[in-house]
């Protein structure tokens, strides 16, 4: 699914649930809509916030890559994802660090 369409759908669902919660006269419907709006808001916030230190570092890296691509400083960056056959095994079999640190 396109990420932009998904984000727009989540926003529309949250706003609709909030509007129903405000306009509803039936207490059960008002409560259900309020709960739905609250849960959707928390879900969207949680999904889009870097909560852990690793997530924050990852977001900073993504932001720096986007800036480099936007302003033409990304000549050495490949277009597209990394090749699938890349050897990602950077640890020795015995668990020792192979880069000498």
């Amino acid at each position: 699914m396109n990420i932009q369409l998904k984000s727009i759908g989540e926003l529309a669902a949250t706003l609709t649930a909030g509007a129903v919660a405000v306009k509803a006269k039936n207490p059960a419907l008002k409560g259900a809509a309020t709960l739905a709006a609250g849960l959707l808001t928390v879900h969207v916030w949680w999904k889009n916030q870097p909560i852990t230190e690793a997530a924050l570092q990852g977001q900073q890296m993504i932001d720096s890559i986007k800036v480099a691509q936007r302003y033409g400083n990304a000549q050495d960056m490949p277009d597209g994802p990394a090749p699938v056959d890349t050897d990602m095994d950077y640890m020795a079999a015995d668990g020792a660090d192979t880069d000498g640190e």
Side-chain angles (χ1 to χ4, degrees), residues 61-78:
M61 179 178 284
I62 289 170
D63 291 343
S64 67
I65 290 169
K66 287 181 180 180
V67 167
Q69 289 174 339
R70 179 177 300 137
Y71 295 109
N73 297 328
Q75 288 84 11
D76 59 343
M77 297 174 124

Side-chain angles (χ1 to χ4, degrees), residues 15-84:
L15 292 175
T16 302
V20 169
V22 169
K23 300 282 184 183
K25 302 288 186 212
N26 183 346
L29 179 60
K30 189 175 201 76
T34 302
L35 180 64
L39 290 175
L40 282 165
T41 301
V42 168
H43 166 72
V44 170
W45 176 82
W46 184 270
K47 184 181 68 167
N48 292 319
Q49 296 299 317
I51 303 298
T52 65
E53 183 66 28
L56 180 61
Q57 290 173 355
Q59 187 61 50
Q60 289 170 342
M61 179 178 284
I62 289 170
D63 291 343
S64 67
I65 290 169
K66 287 181 180 180
V67 167
Q69 289 174 339
R70 179 177 300 137
Y71 295 109
N73 297 328
Q75 288 84 11
D76 59 343
M77 297 174 124
D79 293 333
V84 177

